[in-house]
Amino acid sequence: MNDKGRIVLGLLAFLVLITFPVWYNLVSGQDSRPPEVELPTDETRCVADREFMRTEHMQLLMDWRDAVVRDKQRIYTTEDGRQFPMSLAGTMHTHDGGSCMSCHANKDKFCDRCHDYLSVTPYCWDCHVEPKGEQ
Amino acid sequence: MAVKRREFCKLAGVSALALAGGSASAPGAAAEANETDKLIGEPIVGNRWAMVVDLQACRKEEGCRDCIVACHSTHNVPAIDEPKEEVKWIWKEHFAEAFPNQQHEYLAHDLQHEEVLVFCNHCDSPPCTRVCPTQATWKRDDGIVMMDWHRCIGCRYCVAACPYGSRSFNWRDPRPYIDEINADFPTRSRGVVEKCTFCDERLAQGRMPACVEACKDKCLVFGDLEDPGSEVRRLLEKRHAVRRKPGLGTQPEVYYLV
């Protein structure tokens, strides 16, 4: 049982390697904070409150999708009575406002920042048309 | 859907302002002319949508493709040259191919050489919807044979089932084949079937189908068959109309005045 030194050395090497992502980020000074998304400047109210949108937007979008395509419903009424088209990227609007992307006009700085950070790749944009303008 | 009181008040207010001020604008809605036609109108609703194609009027201008161009640019239909992979919603077919049962040796000369406008027939008894394993295509209660591209898995059963060749499959990514993408309508992705939907998205916004709007000779008439006062009913009562391959029992809802 004279291998104590070797075992400890091996364990140490193992620990260093397995924690590589943690200390590498610390040493290289890279920021590991969650991404900041750019919010629209001329509109402060979304179709629902911020916490709900943050966690449930995907479910809301899927409900909208089914309502539009399958149930012929195209207008969404918010809790405070405003009406919006249930549209991800179209340019048609009601008196209260337009599609998601009519406010969040920059996909890179809004959708992608979070999605990239979380490594999720929704396939919305395979078909829906990303707004032009500043990219 | 009936006009809600709130909407009615808004509309009335906007109209009154427009009349009084000339340049009045609604809060939130831009006053520019091109912005106002982006405003979603009251949906056009019906119980049994149908199309009547006046072949005599359509024949007048040879080589006219107005309706085809309007439809394909509105719906981001890719222009792929290879016949095996082409995607089409509305196109022209020789009379003999569109109406194989009407073909005979002594057919009127102009009919023999005529090209007939064809698109999805929105059948009353659609074979395509019966074979779809995911209900990505189904018949709506207003008769439109609808597509849900989110659900299509690309099995192509519907393509095989449709006796009119109205369905196209995207063998490749269609985006590079679209000249100018219309942001108001999605494109499709590879592996999805597509076809004419009687412009369900335009009807929902209070506008007539793109092809109907584009035809300057008014050869395409769209309307509700269950409304006895509609233009389609009036035309069908007045003139003789034929349908494509009626013997198959699919009950097409596109009528051709010959």
Side-chain angles (χ1 to χ4, degrees):
Chain A
M1 290 298 156
N2 294 327
D3 292 339
K4 205 185 194 175
R6 282 193 194 169
I7 292 171
V8 170
L9 207 66
L11 276 176
L12 268 178
F14 173 75
L15 277 177
V16 167
L17 281 176
I18 200 129
T19 53
F20 177 80
V22 178
W23 58 258
Y24 178 80
N25 272 351
L26 285 176
V27 170
S28 68
Q30 264 182 20
D31 215 337
S32 59
R33 279 180 306 164
E36 299 250 323
V37 294
E38 246 176 52
L39 295 174
T41 46
D42 46 357
E43 181 60 75
T44 50
R45 291 179 304 171
C46 196
V47 294
D49 65 65
R50 187 171 292 187
E51 285 313 309
F52 177 83
M53 291 310 289
R54 204 170 268 167
T55 54
E56 306 293 330
H57 64 276
M58 51 301 256
Q59 190 56 50
L60 182 82
L61 286 174
M62 283 195 282
D63 290 347
W64 280 17
R65 173 195 70 192
D66 292 344
V68 169
V69 182
R70 306 199 79 91
D71 304 331
K72 296 195 279 183
Q73 296 298 324
R74 285 188 178 249
I75 303 293
Y76 179 75
T77 308
T78 61
E79 270 180 17
D80 54 2
R82 291 169 297 144
Q83 293 192 313
F84 291 93
M86 290 190 264
S87 162
L88 177 63
T91 60
M92 299 290 287
H93 61 82
T94 62
H95 288 291
D96 290 326
S99 65
C100 304
M101 303 309 275
S102 71
C103 278
H104 304 286
N106 196 317
K107 169 178 165 279
D108 292 341
K109 291 178 182 164
F110 187 71
C111 314
D112 291 350
R113 278 205 184 154
C114 260
H115 292 161
D116 288 349
Y117 178 75
L118 294 166
S119 250
V120 289
T121 46
Y123 44 77
C124 315
W125 306 103
D126 287 2
C127 296
H128 288 275
V129 184
E130 181 185 336
K132 287 182 211 146
E134 52 128 8
Q135 295 287 319
Chain B
M1 201 168 74
V3 185
K4 287 195 188 115
R5 198 184 69 91
R6 184 182 158 84
E7 285 159 12
F8 175 76
C9 294
K10 274 186 193 166
L11 272 176
V14 173
S15 319
L17 277 173
L19 279 176
S23 65
S25 65
E32 295 154 40
N34 64 338
E35 282 295 302
T36 44
D37 49 64
K38 290 283 184 188
L39 186 67
I40 296 171
E42 273 302 306
I44 304 174
V45 289
N47 289 322
R48 189 46 188 106
W49 291 123
M51 188 85 84
V52 174
V53 185
D54 186 344
L55 287 182
Q56 236 166 20
C58 187
R59 201 158 47 222
K60 268 185 205 145
E61 197 181 321
E62 216 174 308
C64 171
R65 287 173 47 84
D66 289 355
C67 54
I68 301 173
V69 171
C71 169
H72 285 190
S73 59
T74 304
H75 300 113
N76 295 324
V77 178
I80 300 172
D81 267 343
E82 265 175 76
K84 275 190 173 173
E85 297 194 9
E86 71 181 341
V87 177
K88 46 199 185 181
W89 284 30
I90 176 169
W91 70 102
K92 284 184 172 177
E93 197 89 77
H94 279 291
F95 184 84
E97 279 149 15
F99 294 96
N101 310 332
Q102 308 277 335
Q103 176 69 347
H104 61 84
E105 208 179 330
Y106 305 104
L107 192 70
H109 186 76
D110 49 352
L111 275 184
Q112 241 168 36
H113 297 280
E114 176 164 347
E115 289 213 302
V116 179
L117 202 60
V118 293
F119 43 96
C120 172
N121 282 293
H122 294 274
C123 304
D124 237 1
S125 178
C128 53
T129 60
R130 300 177 61 172
V131 296
C132 179
T134 60
Q135 291 175 30
T137 186
W138 75 102
K139 199 181 98 177
R140 296 200 328 189
D141 54 7
D142 59 0
I144 292 180
V145 177
M146 209 18 211
M147 276 294 305
D148 182 350
W149 292 302
H150 303 98
R151 261 195 216 193
C152 179
I153 55 168
C155 71
R156 288 172 285 136
Y157 284 9
C158 59
V159 179
C162 174
Y164 306 102
S166 297
R167 289 173 168 271
S168 306
F169 183 67
N170 283 281
W171 291 95
R172 43 179 120 175
D173 178 20
R175 286 242 171 135
Y177 300 91
I178 306 169
D179 272 348
E180 202 176 326
I181 291 182
N182 170 20
D184 274 316
F185 202 78
T187 66
R188 268 66 60 197
S189 58
R190 208 188 98 192
V192 166
V193 171
E194 59 182 275
K195 71 167 195 78
C196 155
T197 62
F198 263 175
C199 281
D200 73 290
E201 84 288 356
R202 290 173 61 94
L203 295 173
Q205 294 160 351
R207 301 190 292 172
M208 286 305 257
C211 55
V212 176
E213 227 170 59
C215 181
K216 45 188 184 297
D217 294 323
K218 307 264 175 280
C219 318
L220 292 162
V221 180
F222 182 78
D224 186 0
L225 278 185
E226 285 190 15
D227 170 13
S230 67
E231 176 76 359
V232 283
R233 280 286 292 274
R234 200 184 57 78
L235 280 169
L236 292 179
E237 265 159 39
K238 219 169 60 178
R239 291 174 59 183
H240 178 61
V242 292
R243 298 190 287 179
R244 293 178 67 198
K245 305 184 184 174
L248 296 177
T250 58
Q251 304 291 348
E253 294 296 5
V254 175
Y255 296 80
Y256 292 89
L257 305 173
V258 281

